[in-house]
Amino acid sequence: QVQLVESGGGSVQAGGSLRLSCVASGYSFGNHCRAWFRQAPGKEREGVATVGMDGSSKYADSVLGRFTISQDNAKNTLYLQMDSLKPEDTAMYYCAARGQYCRTDFFPPSWYHYFGQGTQVTVSS
């Protein structure tokens, strides 16, 4: 049984930082498609950062230069470092993976095989 478990969310003031973690069990991230999504109340789930099979990454324009996606293969963990946080970053954050290789791009949430339960990030002004 595959499980993705996120952690690291919390409440911070604008300008602060958080690092989200996503640990996989029953599955190995490797170089498969993996990404971070977020969903704010009343909004659709949107891709924030993604990594493709060649290891290159892509970011949503709204987080470019502030967020960094990375991975520790030994720990089978995907990370999202979030710096210079803004109130508009407030959302539930999810990690996602698809058990296949893919180019570095954002795909619809329904395209991913696995999603975590999410971790809440709240940024106050």
Side-chain angles (χ1 to χ4, degrees):
Q1 181 181 358
V2 176
Q3 275 193 316
L4 304 182
V5 180
E6 303 95 335
S7 62
S11 297
V12 296
Q13 290 192 327
S17 297
L18 286 173
R19 188 176 80 155
L20 306 184
S21 300
C22 173
V23 179
S25 59
Y27 171 75
S28 179
F29 283 117
N31 288 335
H32 288 166
C33 306
R34 56 266 193 228
W36 284 95
F37 283 79
R38 69 184 180 187
Q39 187 168 18
K43 295 188 176 181
E44 292 187 352
R45 191 168 295 191
E46 63 172 351
V48 174
T50 184
V51 182
M53 61 183 178
D54 63 355
S56 63
S57 54
K58 184 175 181 177
Y59 299 90
D61 289 343
S62 58
V63 307
L64 188 62
R66 300 187 297 120
F67 289 12
T68 304
I69 188 171
S70 63
Q71 183 172 316
D72 185 330
N73 288 328
K75 296 181 178 180
N76 204 24
T77 301
L78 190 68
Y79 299 102
L80 184 68
Q81 177 67 41
M82 307 186 296
D83 299 317
S84 302
L85 283 162
K86 303 176 181 180
E88 51 263 43
D89 295 319
T90 295
M92 187 73 80
Y93 283 73
Y94 303 87
C95 64
R98 180 177 173 94
Q100 293 178 343
Y101 300 107
C102 66
R103 67 181 187 274
T104 305
D105 207 345
F106 288 111
F107 299 97
S110 59
W111 189 79
Y112 291 85
H113 292 148
Y114 314 117
F115 260 94
Q117 84 291 347
T119 185
Q120 177 68 38
V121 172
T122 303
V123 185
S124 58
S125 58

